[in-house]
Amino acid sequence: MLRHQLMVLRRQVTRPRYTPQDRLVLAMLARLLPRERWAAFLVTPATLLRWHRELVARRWTYPATGTGGNCLDPETVELVVRMARENPRWGYIRIVGECHKLGIRVSATSVRRILRRHRLGPAPRRSGPSWTAFLRGQAADMLACDFLTVETVGLTRLYVLFVVELDRRRVHLAGATAHPTGEWVVQAARNLLMDLDEQAHRLRF
């Protein structure tokens, strides 16, 4: 009976209109049903997946902060770059302080942005091997780790801890949790070292 009623509705309504609440419910239900059952929906599978992506994107959208497009005076930019080049041991805060002595107002964030744009690294050393060259030299002894996030059907955020062997580009999944704590990360790291077993002795960083 329900199927026949849906058939009648489909003949009469060429394109149904969905409210945001309808899209939320259908996107969540679609994640609970196997793909072969998605034919029961009045929209295509691509539409259902798009709705779910939009829900996740909306959850990650935060209000804009900051002053927007305020640009620094070119003379200030030139002065910051000159200070950094002539004084390799000066950090962001020192450069900000020296600018304030000259009556120029600039933030540490702006100084960092300027130096990055001109390919000047942080103090105390702005010459010699680059960070990339250092990593290549130490890659065999080093692991890198970070979190990525996954949104579940009910838009619950899961944090996934992963570790990368830099020299081999091999990725290890250390664990996933909705509430990462320091204790949880320490235990995940211990479990990973046990899994690496004989390879763990070569790792220093």
Side-chain angles (χ1 to χ4, degrees), residues 1-184:
M1 184 184 69
L2 290 174
R3 286 175 182 167
H4 189 74
Q5 289 182 27
L6 280 175
M7 246 166 48
V8 172
L9 288 174
R10 282 176 177 171
R11 286 201 303 262
Q12 296 178 9
V13 181
T14 56
R15 188 171 182 180
R17 296 180 180 178
Y18 296 97
T19 65
Q21 289 78 14
D22 296 331
R23 293 183 179 189
L24 172 64
V25 171
L26 291 175
M28 292 175 64
L29 290 176
R31 289 304 201 177
L32 297 173
L33 285 175
R35 284 288 182 94
E36 57 269 16
R37 303 296 299 277
W38 281 17
F41 292 101
L42 296 177
V43 293
T44 63
T47 301
L48 291 169
L49 293 174
R50 178 170 55 82
W51 286 352
H52 194 268
R53 286 194 301 270
E54 289 173 357
L55 289 171
V56 173
R58 198 176 302 130
R59 184 180 176 88
W60 278 96
T61 301
Y62 298 101
T65 58
T67 55
N70 292 341
C71 297
L72 288 173
D73 184 43
E75 293 180 359
T76 302
V77 174
E78 184 181 348
L79 176 64
V80 168
V81 172
R82 182 180 170 187
M83 283 183 175
R85 284 180 175 154
E86 293 180 359
N87 305 278
R89 294 190 172 275
W90 284 12
Y92 305 140
I93 304 300
R94 177 68 184 273
I95 293 174
V96 169
E98 296 298 323
C99 287
H100 283 185
K101 290 178 184 178
L102 299 173
I104 299 171
R105 307 290 295 181
V106 62
S107 67
T109 304
S110 297
V111 171
R112 180 178 60 191
R113 192 180 302 117
I114 292 169
L115 297 187
R116 283 183 176 176
R117 195 183 312 140
H118 288 81
R119 300 185 179 279
L120 292 171
R125 187 169 71 179
R126 295 195 173 98
S127 59
S130 65
W131 181 244
T132 303
F134 169 77
L135 286 179
R136 284 176 182 162
Q138 304 291 335
D141 304 331
M142 194 177 298
L143 291 176
C145 68
D146 203 350
F147 281 98
L148 62 87
T149 59
V150 178
E151 305 288 337
T152 64
V153 178
L155 297 182
T156 300
R157 187 170 299 166
L158 295 180
Y159 296 85
V160 181
L161 177 64
F162 65 95
V163 179
V164 183
E165 295 182 50
L166 295 184
D167 59 335
R168 304 179 184 184
R169 300 293 193 272
R170 183 178 297 169
V171 179
H172 301 274
L173 179 63
T177 179
H179 306 286
T181 61
E183 294 79 8
W184 182 88

